[in-house]
Amino acid sequence: MAKKRDGLEVGPVTGPDLWEERGISRRDFLKFCTAMTAALALPASFVPRIAAALESDNRPSVIWLEFQGCTGDSEAFLRAANPTVAEIVLDVLSVDYHETIMAAAGHQAEDARLQTMKARNGKYIAVVEGGIPLKDGGVYCCVGGKAAVDIVREVCGGALATIAVGTCASYGGIPAAAPNPTGAVGVKEAVPNATVINLPGCPLNTDNLVATIVYFITFGKLPVVDGKGRPLFAYGKRIHDNCERRPHFDAGQYVEQWGDEAHRKGYCLYKMGCKGPETFHNCSIQRYNERTSWPVGAGHGCAGCSEPYFWDSMTPFYRRLPNVPGFGIETTADKIGLGVAAATAAAFAAHGVVSAFRHDDESAGKKEE
Amino acid sequence: MAKIVVDPITRIEGHLRIQAEVNGGSIKDAWSSSTMFRGIEKILRGRDPRDAWFFTQRFCGVCTTVHSIASIRAVENALGIKVPLNAELIRNLIIGVQAVQDHVIHFYHLHALDWVDITSGLKADPAKTAALAASLSDWPLNSPTYFKGVQERLAAFVAKGRLGPFGNAYWGHPAYRLPPEANLMATAHYLEALDWQREIIKIHAILGSKNPHPQTFLVGGMAIPVDPNSQNALNVDKIAEIGELLKKAKTFVEKVYIPDLLAVASFYKEWAGIGGGVGNYLCCGEYPADNSGKPERLWLPQGIILNRDLSRVYPLDQRKVTESVAHSWYEGGAKGVHPWDEQTEAKYTGPKPPYDLLDTDQKYSWVKSPRYDGIPLETGPLATVLVAYAAGHPGAKGAVDMVLQKLGVGPEALFSTLGRTAARGIETLLVARELPNWLNQLVANIGGGDLTIHNNERWDPATWPREAAGYGWHNAPRGSLGHWIRIREQQIENYQAVVPSTWNASPRDERGQRGPYEAALLGTPIADPAKPLEILRTIHSFDPCLACAVHVVDPAGGELVRVQVL
């Protein structure tokens, strides 16, 4: 029997054979459940619960809208984890509208959206990619002759929840960078009454999108978020806190020039402009493309792309952060927002290595010698 | 005459809209419009030129590496920076994998459904499908059991009544020609290609940290260190992994993509006479063979072909590029301006949304009209292949002749919708075969002790001249693009990008000359104005990279067929 959880119909659970009918082995399915449990930072005892929730045959409807985006988030979605997971993603969801992949075009495409909104009113998930221009009546982005702002209000207004994927949909992103020529904003600002989860990143890490949806299906509610609307399971800690190069930061071993010996040895990229110390995201753990790599892992600093307005606040990208806020792993984005300056001053005073190179930038890089 | 509006045109990147007039079963005129603007060129002003690639990469998340390369080349050109060979080879690998992966995605996921009716595959005999597939290639998955499994999976999906992304399409349209067996084969490969693309793009993650939006580009080189004796650099392990993925990429292209392309094309040969367009082609060339920066050292040659004349390739001169805003929503005079001197000041004069139709006598697009020496040019795989073919590139010559021979058509068939789609396959094949050579060169160079990945001489902005100007070309999957930059006092003073879809999707210019999409739609047959599948075929053959839409309009005020719900 179908059960209702927060308005979302879940079930009936049809048993383990279901996934095998879909061409997915039981083993691969459980691997996926385990990966999702890990992505959600839950203990392994949650694997059966996630498996049970996913075995329901009720695929939530998804309407995926794109506005002032670059389709990078859709492309990220197409790379979702390993092949098995992507198959599961296609089968877990019913993607009823997504301009980049849908077969229909023109009014048939629009009809698919309208039919879904009508048939599953209050039950579908809206996913939004790209910023929404508000200036001049929204003329800077129209689909089917309609302004983006009108479409997003209509679709998100009838959705159970909205997931803003990428930094553009979350906070306006690149079109909102100074001087914001089109008056671009994120979804929450365009539709203040909607329930919105932000998954910023440029593009988003698709593992976090899948995990958010799995969280939702499993627990029947949305994950807990920080003050910027980001789920804590993915944005609760800084890049810096889990960075594989953190020991080099602490040891005062820094890359001084692209391609120098320190760079080849994988030392800390802070002096090359890395924004990891001020960026809340799980890249350093989750990585990208089936955990193959991530920017700092491949030798380039973090750009801070999951932070609001990073195009203005984190640039120039190759100039190092003037103040590294705090050193404790307990810090959250909200706390940092409250008192960056005080925390920074205290931390620097307490940390001999960093204060040393603040006095003499050149000497710090040579400390390993 | 009938007016048709198709909006949105799906399975593209971005937002595009085309208006056209239909009479007697074919298109008499068409207008192309893009309906989205962000103003990134304006956002770039006053910023650090070394950051420009990071911003311009966000022009497009499908052309995910493309604008980084053009931007970095423009800054390096302005500042006179020579890039180390290792960095050039790593860039070649990134660019080449982008081309191969992106073209395969385009063929299967963005274009194939214009030719393949997946619902018809339900009626196929899996044994006959396997026989058909085996006649085309020795791909190991070509078995009756495999195709039966795909068919059953498809049937189960359809039986549930929720088709997701396959809902509401033009299934059953009379313009679909493939027998059920070919449809089932193509559907199976649609699913396989979805897995394949995710796998081979890991090369971008290894060399570039992630995909989309790799993050190891640098003005002056690359940020991925190379060191065979380090755990934290491009070492032997990672090179071996890249080698395996390249092998996998090449095998899929040779055994699945090319055979499918030829098989599907053989059912649609009339499309070798449809969708030709402007007949002038631009390719800026690509894949530096060394780090000399000389155009003649590019593996794929650069040049211009005019009036479909393959007997002559004209040299490319960036000074001849201009952009007109006569029919685009920007401030400025009608006459074209060179990108170094151009401004991008939005000035919308179209109807207030929601609207039914754009007034195409006035300004009607956010796309400008790039012109070369005053004429419209097409860019993309067809231009790349034609220029290489006409210039006598041995690989291109062989591959083009093979395709023409297999399809039983002459070179004139290339100037068409089918030719464009075939050229994409040819480019993919050439690049997939060449990629291992760049990896081998990189290995040889590293083995010789060269670990340099960045030229640091001009990294510090204090070393820059007070004023500088530069340009960078890049031949991307969708065609040639150029970025033009002016630097003043260490900051970006002006930045303009002229990209493939600007060339191809351009509206009319001040002389009324149509852009390539508009010209290519002329004469396209339309079997059912309410389901203009044929418009999608020609527009998708360009692989549009902007959010687009199509209208077919009757200037005499005839019937308006809404292919768009307003």
Side-chain angles (χ1 to χ4, degrees), chain A residues 24 62 97 107 114 162 197 215 231 240 251-252 305 319 329 337 365 369:
Chain A
I24 296 153
V62 169
Y97 185 89
H107 80 91
L114 295 170
T162 296
I197 284 256
Y215 190 111
H240 193 54
C305 73
R319 192 164 299 166
I329 57 162
E369 305 298 324

Side-chain angles (χ1 to χ4, degrees), chain A residues 21 23, chain B residues 126 143-155 184:
Chain A
E21 275 173 25
Chain B
S143 75
T145 326
Y146 171 70
F147 287 117
K148 188 159 181 280
V150 172
Q151 193 181 41
E152 283 170 356
R153 194 167 173 216
L154 199 63
L184 178 60

Side-chain angles (χ1 to χ4, degrees), chain A:
Chain A
M1 289 297 289
K3 292 175 284 184
K4 276 206 166 187
R5 289 185 198 151
D6 282 7
L8 177 71
E9 280 179 36
V10 183
V13 175
T14 50
D17 293 345
L18 180 70
W19 290 92
E20 283 171 23
E21 275 173 25
R22 292 171 182 173
I24 296 153
S25 75
R26 184 72 189 159
R27 193 169 161 271
D28 282 342
F29 174 61
L30 288 176
K31 239 167 76 185
F32 168 72
C33 294
T34 309
M36 279 303 114
T37 310
L40 289 163
L42 293 169
S45 57
F46 277 82
V47 172
R49 186 166 178 180
I50 285 174
L54 291 180
E55 273 167 356
S56 93
D57 190 31
N58 196 319
R59 299 174 294 156
S61 254
V62 169
I63 297 178
W64 184 306
L65 303 172
E66 188 190 344
F67 300 117
Q68 279 177 308
C70 70
T71 314
D73 301 299
S74 289
E75 285 282 328
F77 180 61
L78 290 179
R79 315 278 186 273
N82 66 55
T84 310
V85 174
E87 296 289 300
I88 293 170
V89 170
L90 287 173
D91 281 330
V92 169
L93 305 174
S94 182
V95 182
D96 294 326
Y97 185 89
H98 187 309
E99 283 179 43
T100 313
I101 58 170
M102 70 193 302
H107 80 91
Q108 286 91 347
E110 296 293 288
D111 284 349
R113 176 170 70 77
L114 295 170
Q115 281 166 21
T116 306
M117 288 169 62
K118 198 173 163 198
R120 308 187 73 82
N121 185 29
K123 288 187 275 191
Y124 61 86
I125 298 171
V127 175
V128 183
E129 171 175 7
I132 297 141
L134 298 184
K135 198 173 152 187
D136 300 328
V139 298
Y140 300 102
C141 183
C142 292
V143 179
K146 269 182 158 171
V149 61
D150 294 330
I151 299 170
V152 78
R153 282 179 183 155
E154 193 183 315
V155 173
C156 298
L160 176 57
T162 296
I163 304 176
V165 292
T167 305
C168 294
S170 297
Y171 313 117
I174 194 166
N180 192 352
T182 60
V185 298
V187 182
K188 186 66 187 172
E189 202 175 331
V191 199
N193 296 330
T195 304
V196 180
I197 284 256
N198 289 328
L199 297 178
C202 194
L204 96 155
N205 188 328
T206 195
D207 292 352
N208 292 336
L209 172 61
V210 177
T212 300
I213 291 166
V214 168
Y215 190 111
F216 186 55
I217 293 171
T218 308
F219 302 111
K221 61 183 180 186
L222 295 167
V224 177
V225 297
D226 69 6
K228 293 168 183 171
R230 306 175 293 194
L232 289 176
F233 75 76
Y235 301 86
K237 286 183 178 174
R238 290 177 301 176
I239 297 271
H240 193 54
D241 297 333
N242 290 304
C243 181
E244 65 211 35
R245 297 186 185 217
R246 177 63 184 265
H248 294 295
F249 176 87
D250 291 343
Q253 295 172 321
Y254 299 92
V255 176
E256 299 287 337
Q257 265 187 21
W258 301 112
D260 68 5
E261 196 188 345
H263 193 209
R264 296 202 301 276
K265 283 182 170 170
Y267 288 0
C268 177
L269 291 157
Y270 169 69
K271 289 173 119 184
M272 306 311 283
C274 182
K275 305 299 188 286
E278 276 190 9
T279 305
F280 288 80
H281 208 177
N282 58 351
C283 308
S284 41
I285 299 168
Q286 206 63 26
R287 304 174 154 231
Y288 292 84
N289 303 90
E290 299 180 52
R291 304 194 178 209
T292 301
S293 193
W294 68 295
V296 171
H300 190 286
C302 161
C305 73
S306 56
E307 295 302 313
Y309 315 111
F310 81 99
W311 293 106
D312 295 319
S313 63
M314 298 287 190
T315 48
F317 289 122
Y318 301 102
R319 192 164 299 166
R320 66 162 171 258
L321 289 168
N323 298 302
V324 178
F327 287 86
I329 57 162
E330 75 288 348
T331 309
T332 67
D334 296 341
K335 281 183 194 158
I336 284 203
L338 287 174
V340 176
T344 307
F348 275 126
H351 202 289
V353 173
V354 177
S355 57
F357 95 63
R358 286 189 87 216
H359 292 304
D360 180 3
D361 285 342
E362 297 311 308
S363 65
K366 294 175 190 154
K367 280 200 180 296
E368 42 136 341
E369 305 298 324

Side-chain angles (χ1 to χ4, degrees), chain B residues 457-470:
Chain B
E457 284 166 32
R458 292 279 170 102
W459 179 250
D460 182 354
T463 63
W464 301 350
R466 190 167 163 266
E467 283 184 60

Side-chain angles (χ1 to χ4, degrees), chain B residues 262-333:
Chain B
L262 293 172
V264 172
S266 68
F267 287 93
Y268 290 103
K269 281 190 204 167
E270 77 274 21
W271 285 83
I274 299 168
V278 294
N280 306 312
Y281 302 89
L282 156 74
C283 176
C284 66
E286 192 48 83
Y287 305 104
D290 56 31
N291 59 341
S292 66
K294 290 182 181 159
E296 61 271 22
R297 295 292 294 148
L298 296 170
W299 173 63
L300 287 175
Q302 70 171 212
I304 305 269
I305 286 172
L306 298 175
N307 302 317
R308 308 181 184 203
D309 176 7
L310 294 177
S311 70
R312 183 146 184 212
V313 180
Y314 294 87
L316 172 64
D317 180 355
Q318 64 90 16
R319 289 169 299 184
K320 292 183 177 175
V321 174
T322 56
E323 287 199 292
S324 161
V325 296
H327 284 280
S328 315
W329 291 309
Y330 299 98
E331 284 180 10

Side-chain angles (χ1 to χ4, degrees), chain B residues 51 70 95 136 159 161 232 242 282-283 308 312 324 406 432 515 543:
Chain B
D51 287 356
I95 295 168
L136 301 169
N232 299 91
I242 293 170
L282 156 74
C283 176
R308 308 181 184 203
R312 183 146 184 212
S324 161
K406 287 215 169 162
D543 193 1

